[in-house]
């Protein structure tokens, strides 16, 4: 009778061991990434400040990617491991293995529930209290997974504790290093005008860097339109849109101002008095300074006062009415200006899931105050 018993499979064969090592390696990377994200959250809680910069956005994107990539291998390993051991007698080892598989699935499902996926809004958790509960599940379950894995493995081959502690220490140190890491500013160094700060005079407007701002950074109205079509539609017919050379009356007036200034002083600098309010895109990008500036065909001539211009102002210095403000090139989310639709979709997902940087960049407290309008009006 004993000879008729089916041959017992190894719980973790050579091939399955390779899959296990891959899962554990991905889990270590995910842990490193998660410590960084949790560290940012703790810093924000303690300081009340927002630290979700472009580095954070890349780390969050990596967290989503690793979480999705590890989903199938974890479930596959759990099913194959269960197949190899299902005929064995009930034991604490089997129960711990089942517990570990369920906890791993809970980690993955709770993570998916926290993501606001476009097209799957019916899965979105909108209640702040419910999201908080799911977030805590997502934070606590990895700890339970580690605990369950250790207990499960204690019944098998001898654990290499020293290696595990070294790996855990290295992961923690690396995560702390990431918290202190400063990636290069994605905007790059601003080109400085030859005349320095005098370039902006007699306008009172200044850029935060003291240099030019690329025109494309101030003309991304299509980017705004994707999420704010109603506001964009109102802006497209507003006086702000037609404040510049796309307004026939204004173009005639400033043409004469530029012509007279050039005849008198050999430069068009006096016309900058108007540009800080009426022509911010050609003004801050440096195109306005060209005496031969084509005020009909140049792309910046039709920009007007764009959405980005107003929302990129970082400081209101006075309501004197001659553009007394400070403006900077806004930091964009990863892939926001990519030509790839797939990458732009990823960028929009980041805005939807982590809107803090978007709000901090484009919506300042003074935007709701009359003094903000008073910089030009």
């Amino acid at each position: 009778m004993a000879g008729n018993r089916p041959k017992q499979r190894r719980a973790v064969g050579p091939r399955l061991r390779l899959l296990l090592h891959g899962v554990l390696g991905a889990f270590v990377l995910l842990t490193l990434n998660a410590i960084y994200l949790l560290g940012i959250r703790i810093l924000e809680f303690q300081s009340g400040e927002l630290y979700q910069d472009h580095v954070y956005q890349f780390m969050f994107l990596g967290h989503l990617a690793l979480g999705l990539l590890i989903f199938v291998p974890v479930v596959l390993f759990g099913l194959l491991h269960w197949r190899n051991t299902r005929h064995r007698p009930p034991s604490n080892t089997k129960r711990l293995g089942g517990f570990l598989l369920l906890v791993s699935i809970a980690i993955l499902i709770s993570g998916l529930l926290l993501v606001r996926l476009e097209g799957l809004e019916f899965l979105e958790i909108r209640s702040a209290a419910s999201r908080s509960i799911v977030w805590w599940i997502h934070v606590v379950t990895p700890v339970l997974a580690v605990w369950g894995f250790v207990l499960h493995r204690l019944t098998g081959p001898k654990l290499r504790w020293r290696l595990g502690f070294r790996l855990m220490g290295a992961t923690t140190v690396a995560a702390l290093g990431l918290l202190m890491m400063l990636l290069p500013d994605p905007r790059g160094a601003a080109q400085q005008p030859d005349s320095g700060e005098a370039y902006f005079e007699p306008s009172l407007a200044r850029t935060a860097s003291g240099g030019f701002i690329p025109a494309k950074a101030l003309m991304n109205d299509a980017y705004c339109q994707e999420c704010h079509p109603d506001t964009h539609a109102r802006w497209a017919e507003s006086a702000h849109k037609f404040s510049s050379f796309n307004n026939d009356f204004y173009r005639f007036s400033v043409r004469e101002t530029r012509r007279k200034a050039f005849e008198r002083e050999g430069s068009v600098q006096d016309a900058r008095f108007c540009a800080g309010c009426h022509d911010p895109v050609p003004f801050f990008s440096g195109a306005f300074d060209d005496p031969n500036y084509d005020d009909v065909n140049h792309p910046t001539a039709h920009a007007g006062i764009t959405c980005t211009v107003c929302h990129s102002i970082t400081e209101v210095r006075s309501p004197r009415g001659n553009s007394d403000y400070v403006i900077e090139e806004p930091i964009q989310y990863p892939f926001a200006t990519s030509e790839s639709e797939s990458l732009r979709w990823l960028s929009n997902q980041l805005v939807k899931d982590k809107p803090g940087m978007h709000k901090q960049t484009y919506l300042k407290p003074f935007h709701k105050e009359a003094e903000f309008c008073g910089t030009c009006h």
Side-chain angles (χ1 to χ4, degrees), residues 36-37 40 51-60 354:
Y36 169 86
L37 295 177
I40 291 294
Y51 294 96
Q52 296 178 23
D53 57 6
H54 66 289
V55 180
Y56 176 91
Q57 300 300 330
F58 273 112
M59 292 297 289
F60 178 72
K354 294 294 179 180

Side-chain angles (χ1 to χ4, degrees), residues 113-306:
L113 289 175
L114 289 172
V115 178
R116 296 182 172 96
L117 285 174
E118 188 174 345
L120 297 177
E121 286 80 4
F122 64 94
L123 293 176
E124 184 176 326
I125 300 176
R126 297 181 180 273
S127 166
S130 299
R131 287 188 66 83
S132 180
I133 292 171
V134 175
W135 184 84
W136 275 109
I137 291 174
H138 193 62
V139 170
V140 172
T141 43
V143 178
L144 294 177
V146 172
W147 174 73
F149 177 77
V150 171
L151 292 181
H152 182 66
R153 285 284 285 106
L154 283 174
T155 61
K158 186 177 180 180
L159 279 170
R160 300 169 66 182
W161 290 102
R162 186 171 298 178
L163 176 62
F165 283 125
R166 286 177 179 175
L167 186 60
M168 183 173 64
T171 301
T172 304
V173 170
L176 293 174
L178 285 172
L179 282 171
M180 296 182 288
M181 181 181 67
L182 295 176
L183 291 182
D185 193 318
R187 296 169 293 189
Q191 180 186 352
Q192 301 293 314
D194 294 336
S195 56
E197 187 174 344
Y199 166 81
F200 301 98
E201 298 173 354
S203 167
L204 299 176
R206 298 292 184 271
T207 61
S209 65
F212 296 120
I213 299 176
K216 65 179 182 179
L218 299 176
M219 294 174 63
N220 53 355
D221 304 307
Y223 175 72
C224 306
Q225 186 180 18
E226 291 181 13
C227 295
H228 307 283
D230 52 342
T231 304
H232 183 276
R234 291 195 299 270
W235 166 82
E237 298 178 355
S238 69
H240 280 168
K241 167 62 177 175
F242 296 99
S243 71
S244 190
F245 297 102
N246 52 356
N247 183 308
D248 293 337
F249 299 101
Y250 176 79
R251 182 172 62 243
F252 172 80
S253 175
V254 179
R255 268 185 185 174
E256 287 299 299
T257 303
R258 288 168 63 87
R259 185 177 66 83
K260 289 292 186 181
F262 190 76
E263 289 177 356
R264 184 174 61 249
E265 300 174 1
S267 77
V268 296
Q269 181 160 350
D270 286 352
R272 298 172 195 167
F273 180 87
C274 312
C277 287
H278 284 271
D279 318 296
V281 177
F283 181 43
F284 294 121
S285 64
F288 190 87
D289 201 40
D290 183 2
N292 298 315
Y293 174 72
D294 189 343
D295 59 17
V296 174
N297 298 311
H298 198 281
T300 63
H302 303 277
I305 302 171
T306 65

